[in-house]
Amino acid sequence: MGTKKKTTIKDIANVLGLTPSAVSKALNNHPRISEKTKVSVQQVAKNLNYQPNYLASALRKGKSNLVGVIIPRANSNFFSAVLESIENVLHEKGYNIIISQSYESFEKECRNIDALLFTQVDGVIASLANETKDFSFYEKIKAKGIPLVLFDRGENDLGVDYIGIDDYQSSHMVVDHLVSENCKRIAHIGGFSHTRIFKNRIRGYRDALEKHNLPLDDNLIFECKLTKTDGRLIMEELLHRENRPDAVYVAGDYAALGALEYLKEQGIKVPEEIAIVGFGNEPFTSLVFPSITTIEQHSTEIGKYTAEAFLRRIKEADTPPVLRKKILDPELVVRGSSKKI
Amino acid sequence: MGTKKKTTIKDIANVLGLTPSAVSKALNNHPRISEKTKVSVQQVAKNLNYQPNYLASALRKGKSNLVGVIIPRANSNFFSAVLESIENVLHEKGYNIIISQSYESFEKECRNIDALLFTQVDGVIASLANETKDFSFYEKIKAKGIPLVLFDRGENDLGVDYIGIDDYQSSHMVVDHLVSENCKRIAHIGGFSHTRIFKNRIRGYRDALEKHNLPLDDNLIFECKLTKTDGRLIMEELLHRENRPDAVYVAGDYAALGALEYLKEQGIKVPEEIAIVGFGNEPFTSLVFPSITTIEQHSTEIGKYTAEAFLRRIKEADTPPVLRKKILDPELVVRGSSKKI
DNA sequence: TATTTTTGTTCAAACGTTGGAACAAATATA
DNA sequence: TATATTTGTTCCAACGTTTGAACAAAAATA
């Protein structure tokens, strides 16, 4: 075997008595190259097992065909489904994807951005870490002049493309459903309101209660990180109140699970005594008993639209930017944890 | 703003009246460059917001500092944990990671390899798709002369580095435990035996039964894809037998969950009538009722060792290859689904 | 037949960085 | 003082590809 020497267009050129530039043009289907030459170049390329050097072409062309995707974590049904969908669209167009995870840490998010920019990605697609409150990283990306598209976590006023679901409406759907199940006193365990999506869920919850002429009690609203433990602890707190709720709308499935577990341990009947609704349609929501009513976020579509928004940005690189926001309709998946009737 | 022009080492050179090559050397801490020059170059680089162009340096140096990681899917606790661990080690050493998912499809796996090689990765780390039976892709990577390290799925005779857990021993631990809980008739729902890890689990199961002088009944061994549905269906099949098992060792947590669900639906008491043990320690195993006894695979350590094996391969690129295999000890996590006593 | 257009190719420079050779100046050794 | 060594820098070619300009030959038009 010996040392593997990669074949380059120069080698092909030598075999055929052409110049590298002719070979390059033949391979790129340049109109001024004859059919005959193109065919023979293809032939020789195959014979010599030619693999184009993307680094060289990327350097020359000033684009890497690499897209950076930053998500809080891949180990989540929602994000991995969005990812798969983004991949499908972008691979089709010849892009490769660098996934990086922020693990919900603002610091890691920043480091990831640096790494991606260093790698000369042609653009960034991101869903923000919970911790992220300021958008300074956005300036960096803007300074490079490459597109940025946000999804789910990251609705903003910065004029950045955004794809997500209608969180406000989600809350309405949940409350409407619970009211139709005869619930009168509905608590809300939400995420931190500095994040748009959670703010919208809280707002939707308030407005929906009002719509149904239910009294609004600020003591029934909680903000937390929505971990399983958070769900447990807040549920415990709620159970110690005099005036217990008869339903809890939890803005995340993991927290909903924690709440459910605690209720079961305490011998509270779900949904008869207290109904539970989660958010996100994580797979385990259908596995536990009772199965958890939740909101489906249409991850595949979000991924598809996100990738498409990105592609459009690339295409119109130097036309005046048009802001693209796409807000999808959520879907309520009714399961055992809320069916009183 | 206008068109963003990236600053290059040439710009820095101009400012200081130096040559680009001096700047490059200063930035790379070349011993022959004076401290004074280095300091001023750093200064100007900072002022001009210089970002090195990795493409150019990668092209010149013939290495991209990119590592391709191929996993069946990121949406799995095990793989995402391994991934995080690999990331931690490799980021430290200046590598970036391109994650690609095979979604258990052999075809996708091959396409991913092509994409990664095209992107000029410096090496590949992989865990194989269930479907993968032939190792032809391996030849491609070998032909490029870059290292390949496999983990979990991919034990082989090809002389490729491999990190995994001792599946044979895992089965022994499971059977030992079940026997100590007074189980006499233990069934096994396994993966396909063309995959090493599953073959080893089956072998371990057989040998362990023999060790305990329990009769071996081939009708109690099943091979499947280990989905939740597979678990249900096989459990159903088992329940219709005259001679029911009193324990089922399932080689995957999802299938174990399916089996458990079916048993609960049929009013069979777990673990009293039939005990269940899974494999993988997926988070939901501790969430369901009864919680599922399972095998912990030490994902963090697997990731760490895998990354380290990769780094060593890179370092010793042209010394005669030494095969590295690391087999970690599994850990049995005993939970409700198997505690009869 | 003279002129323009088209076709197929070569030429040369560029993308940004790197690293060995060359070289002058400063310093050390004989 | 003559020579050898060290230090700090410049020079230049290279990595593999792309692209516009240039050019000769062939084909089309006048």
Side-chain angles (χ1 to χ4, degrees), chain A residues 236-293:
Chain A
E236 188 176 353
E237 155 82 18
L238 273 171
L239 277 193
H240 284 80
R241 300 272 180 85
E242 307 195 345
N243 201 353
R244 281 184 188 172
D246 55 7
V248 184
Y249 161 36
V250 192
D253 279 335
Y254 280 92
L257 180 72
L260 177 63
E261 247 182 41
Y262 187 77
L263 288 177
K264 288 204 299 187
E265 281 169 28
Q266 300 299 311
I268 311 281
K269 281 190 185 140
V270 179
E272 292 79 1
E273 295 180 65
I274 299 185
I276 295 279
V277 176
F279 203 109
N281 202 15
E282 286 290 326
F284 66 77
T285 52
S286 66
L287 305 180
V288 294
F289 184 81
S291 55
I292 301 173
T293 295

Side-chain angles (χ1 to χ4, degrees), chain A residues 20 38 57 96 98-99 105 111 115 224 235 241 248 318:
Chain A
K38 283 180 188 168
S57 103
N96 270 300
I98 301 187
I99 303 168
S105 141
R111 262 192 286 155
C224 65
M235 198 66 236
R241 300 272 180 85
V248 184
D318 23 39

Side-chain angles (χ1 to χ4, degrees), chain A residues 149-152 161-165 302 305-306 309 325-326 328:
Chain A
V149 179
L150 298 173
F151 71 91
D152 190 51
D161 291 348
Y162 172 81
I163 319 290
I165 63 157
I302 290 188
Y305 287 123
T306 302
K325 286 212 180 198
K326 180 121 196 159
L328 303 175

Side-chain angles (χ1 to χ4, degrees), chain A residues 8-9 21 24-25 28 50 56-57 60:
Chain A
T8 70
I9 51 173
S21 109
S24 167
K25 283 173 177 144
N28 290 301
Y50 168 69
S57 103
R60 179 59 230 251

Side-chain angles (χ1 to χ4, degrees), chain B residues 8-17 23 27 41 44-45 48 50:
Chain B
T8 70
I9 51 173
K10 213 173 163 182
D11 300 321
I12 302 178
N14 285 339
V15 171
L16 292 167
V23 173
L27 289 171
V41 166
V44 177
L48 299 184
Y50 168 70

Side-chain angles (χ1 to χ4, degrees), chain B residues 9 21 24-25 28 50 56 60:
Chain B
I9 51 173
S21 115
S24 166
K25 285 172 177 140
N28 290 299
Y50 168 70
R60 176 64 228 249

Side-chain angles (χ1 to χ4, degrees), chain B residues 25-85:
Chain B
K25 285 172 177 140
L27 289 171
N28 290 299
N29 204 26
H30 189 105
R32 293 277 275 275
I33 297 290
S34 68
E35 267 325 300
K36 207 185 95 212
T37 309
K38 282 180 188 168
V39 171
S40 53
V41 166
Q42 304 273 14
Q43 261 303 334
V44 177
K46 196 160 221 166
N47 288 345
L48 299 184
N49 187 29
Y50 168 70
Q51 305 268 80
N53 184 327
Y54 124 92
L55 289 174
S57 108
L59 174 61
R60 176 64 228 249
K61 298 206 278 196
K63 67 183 302 240
S64 64
N65 278 298
L66 248 33
V67 179
V69 179
I70 303 176
I71 53 177
R73 79 194 88 70
N75 180 24
S76 134
N77 194 54
F78 174 69
F79 288 118
S80 79
V82 174
L83 210 52
E84 180 169 1
S85 180

Side-chain angles (χ1 to χ4, degrees), chain A residues 212-247:
Chain A
H212 289 289
N213 293 316
L214 290 175
L216 202 63
D217 181 348
D218 274 344
N219 290 320
L220 288 182
I221 303 181
F222 298 81
E223 288 188 20
C224 65
K225 287 171 84 175
L226 293 172
T227 64
K228 193 179 149 208
T229 311
D230 289 332
R232 284 188 70 91
L233 293 176
I234 294 172
M235 198 66 236
E236 188 176 353
E237 155 82 18
L238 273 171
L239 277 193
H240 284 80
R241 300 272 180 85
E242 307 195 345
N243 201 353
R244 281 184 188 172
D246 55 7

